[in-house]
């Protein structure tokens, strides 16, 4: 049975809470010179106070609306329209809401978050500063740091030629800042993204390929990796397959077949590395109310279940959090585990592999 909340509750929210919030924003706009660089000063504290009060009001209303997604989305959009005259002044808030590339987390947004510098001045600059300091504004750079450490350690542990694919690479920031390649290794990274502009940007900012570290940029819809045969025909298999920042947008059904497909991309001894946000470690309210940025909500157990459902054995899966604790970085690599269930990965395997229960369930 669906419960319809009284329209008056929503009207009260707009008449009281939203009116107080926008009046506060107008006061701040008046007080902050348009060309002021934002700082962690009294103005910033005042803005934080306004946002805090407002967040609580949004959460209360969201709780009252409950499971009525349509009403919630309509209310959130009406709310975003009401705050737009102030939030449009912030490059980050405006970008996240208007999504020029079709989604909020595009290469420009990610590059701004990695740069940790507000892009606007005046009130907009203070809103940028706030955004950079939100839970996910801090988690995204920490996620990239963890990825760089992972890659550096994999490169150190492997010999000779190392083939890597980065799925949904965005600005490829982890390589723009440099990942050490120890002597004697030759790393080749295939960067995959669907957004041409993102690939062009990355190609421009990344250092030129060298003998020890070569890059290739490929426009490809990652969803097609659910059946990876064609990608393998074009690019071969890999020692390291990683994807950071994509999986929080994919539903369970897509993800299970994607995890299977990625297994198919791995060579023997290969490793898959995938990042997820832990729904219990951040508050979604700011992202869904102030801007229009949604992630599928999952916790550690949910993610482990996805790997299991995709055919991975429990002891093949490990998880390490980033420095903020919000990001769960899962890796799955071959261990000598006994398999009971027959994994299906969309890539034909030799008949012997299908019946040999002592083999690991990662592809070969
Ligand atoms: C949040 S960004 C993450 C970028 C990068 N991995 C990082 O962590 O900085 C998500 C990226 O996924 C890309 N993307 C979204 N859907 C895709 C798809 N179906 N196939 C390939 N790339 C996709 C977007 O273009 C965007 O660059």
């Amino acid at each position: 049975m669906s419960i319809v909340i009284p329209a008056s509750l929503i009207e009260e929210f707009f008449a009281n809470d939203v009116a107080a919030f926008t009046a506060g924003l107008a006061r701040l706009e008046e007080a902050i010179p348009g060309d002021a660089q934002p700082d962690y000063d009294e103005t910033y504290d005042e803005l934080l106070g306004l946002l805090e009060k407002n967040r609580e009001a949004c959460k209360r209303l969201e709780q009252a609306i409950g499971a009525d997604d349509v009403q919630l989305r309509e209310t959130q959009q009406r709310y975003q329209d009401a705050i737009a005259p102030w939030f449009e002044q912030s490059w980050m808030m405006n970008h996240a809401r208007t999504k020029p590339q079709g989604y909020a987390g595009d290469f420009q947004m990610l590059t701004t978050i990695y740069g940790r510098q507000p892009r606007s001045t005046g009130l907009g600059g203070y809103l940028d500063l706030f955004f950079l300091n939100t839970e996910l504004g801090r988690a995204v750079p920490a996620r990239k740091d963890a990825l760089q450490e992972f890659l550096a350690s994999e490169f150190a542990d492997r010999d000779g030629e190392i083939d890597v694919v980065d799925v949904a690479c965005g600005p490829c920031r982890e390589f723009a800042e440099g990942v050490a390649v120890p002597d004697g290794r030759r790393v080749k990274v295939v960067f995959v993204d669907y957004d041409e502009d993102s690939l062009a940007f990355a190609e421009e900012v990344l250092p030129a390929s060298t003998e020890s570290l070569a890059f290739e940029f490929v426009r490809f819809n990652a969803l097609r990796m659910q059946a990876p045969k064609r990608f393998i025909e074009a690019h071969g298999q890999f020692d390291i397959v990683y994807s950071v920042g994509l999986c929080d947008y994919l539903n369970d059904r897509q993800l299970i077949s994607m995890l299977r497909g990625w297994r198919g991309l791995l060579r023997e001894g290969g490793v898959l590395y995938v990042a997820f946000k832990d729904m219990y470690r951040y508050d979604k309210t700011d992202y869904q109310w102030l801007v229009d940025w949604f992630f599928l909500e999952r916790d550690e157990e949910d993610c482990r279940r996805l790997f299991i459902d995709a055919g991975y054995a429990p002891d093949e899966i490990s998880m390490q959090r980033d420095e903020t604790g919000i990001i769960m970085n899962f890796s799955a690599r071959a261990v000598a585990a006994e398999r009971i269930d027959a994994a299906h990965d969309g890539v034909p395997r030799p008949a012997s592999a299908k019946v040999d229960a002592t083999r690991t369930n990662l592809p070969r």
Side-chain angles (χ1 to χ4, degrees):
M1 188 182 74
S2 80
I3 300 163
V4 179
I5 71 153
S8 61
L9 209 59
I10 294 177
E11 294 314 316
E12 271 170 36
F13 167 77
F14 280 98
N16 301 327
D17 300 300
V18 181
F21 184 43
T22 53
L25 290 170
R27 249 191 346 266
L28 280 178
E29 183 187 21
E30 185 81 18
I32 307 169
D35 60 355
Q37 294 295 333
D39 206 347
Y40 299 103
D41 52 19
E42 278 177 20
T43 306
Y44 184 70
D45 291 341
E46 201 177 321
L47 177 64
L48 289 189
L50 276 178
L51 286 161
E52 169 75 33
K53 222 169 150 193
N54 181 70
R55 184 180 307 118
E56 292 314 310
C58 294
K59 281 163 96 156
R60 275 197 306 277
L61 185 64
E62 185 166 340
Q63 214 160 21
I65 292 176
D68 187 342
D69 282 346
V70 174
Q71 191 171 37
L72 180 61
R73 294 292 295 128
E74 277 173 11
T75 311
Q76 284 168 333
Q77 271 158 21
R78 181 176 161 197
Y79 171 81
Q80 283 158 19
D81 289 341
I83 63 174
W86 299 276
F87 274 65
E88 277 171 357
Q89 296 176 36
S90 151
W91 184 92
M92 297 189 80
M93 299 287 185
N94 189 49
H95 200 82
R97 180 158 190 228
T98 54
K99 307 181 175 77
Q101 303 291 126
Y103 43 87
D106 63 19
F107 69 100
Q108 294 189 66
M109 175 62 85
L110 268 290
T111 301
T112 305
I113 294 176
Y114 292 133
R116 306 225 30 86
Q117 290 302 315
R119 292 183 66 147
S120 314
T121 56
L123 173 62
Y126 279 89
L127 287 167
D128 279 356
L129 195 59
F130 160 74
F131 202 92
L132 290 169
N133 284 290
T134 59
E135 289 164 316
L136 296 184
R138 287 180 294 104
V140 167
R143 178 177 75 181
K144 187 258 307 153
D145 293 346
L147 170 62
Q148 283 174 320
E149 278 171 33
F150 168 80
L151 290 170
S153 126
E154 286 294 322
F155 295 168
D157 288 350
R158 292 172 187 272
D159 295 320
E161 309 238 341
I162 306 170
D163 287 309
V164 184
V165 61
D166 174 2
V167 184
C169 61
C172 311
R173 183 73 171 214
E174 60 278 15
F175 280 99
E177 290 176 354
V179 176
V181 177
D183 287 348
R185 281 71 158 180
R186 282 203 310 283
V187 176
K188 183 182 165 207
V189 189
V190 175
F191 292 111
V192 173
D193 205 286
Y194 198 57
D195 180 350
E196 249 169 330
D197 294 339
S198 183
L199 290 169
F201 172 84
E203 198 163 358
E204 205 180 302
V205 297
L206 253 55
S209 290
T210 62
E211 182 105 342
S212 61
L213 183 58
F215 302 133
E216 188 184 341
F217 300 87
V218 175
R219 182 166 186 257
F220 192 80
N221 182 354
L223 292 174
R224 290 175 55 205
M225 290 176 169
Q226 292 174 77
K229 192 163 171 278
R230 277 197 51 199
F231 195 83
I232 293 171
E233 279 165 6
H235 303 285
Q237 284 178 300
F238 298 87
D239 303 294
I240 304 171
V241 173
Y242 72 92
S243 188
V244 166
L246 174 68
C247 293
D248 300 307
Y249 299 97
L250 304 181
N251 66 37
D252 286 2
R253 190 183 50 75
Q254 290 171 318
L255 259 179
I256 291 166
S257 16
M258 197 80 123
L259 291 173
R260 266 190 205 129
W262 286 339
R263 275 186 41 198
L265 287 182
L266 284 173
R267 285 191 185 123
E268 185 167 357
V271 62
L272 171 68
Y273 179 96
V274 182
F276 289 92
K277 298 178 181 66
D278 186 334
M279 61 181 284
Y280 292 123
R281 301 279 184 110
Y282 75 97
D283 184 345
K284 63 187 165 69
T285 315
D286 286 340
Y287 308 99
Q288 299 188 353
W289 285 83
L290 299 177
V291 291
D292 186 32
W293 201 343
F294 282 76
F295 309 101
L296 275 101
E297 290 171 38
R298 298 190 174 98
D299 64 9
E300 183 179 343
E301 194 44 48
D302 297 329
C303 297
R304 284 190 186 274
R305 171 57 44 205
L306 291 170
F307 278 92
I308 304 289
D309 289 351
Y312 294 77
D315 54 1
E316 286 173 340
I317 309 160
S318 67
M319 190 278 284
Q320 281 187 318
R321 289 181 188 269
D322 74 328
E323 207 187 351
T324 66
I326 296 171
I327 305 295
M328 303 175 286
N329 292 308
F330 281 89
S331 49
R333 66 178 76 236
V335 293
E338 198 166 310
R339 281 199 57 96
I340 305 160
D341 56 320
H344 166 76
D345 58 16
V347 179
R349 297 197 219 177
S352 60
K354 289 181 185 156
V355 292
D356 184 353
T358 62
R359 294 173 70 108
T360 67
N361 72 343
L362 281 174
R364 48 214 80 249

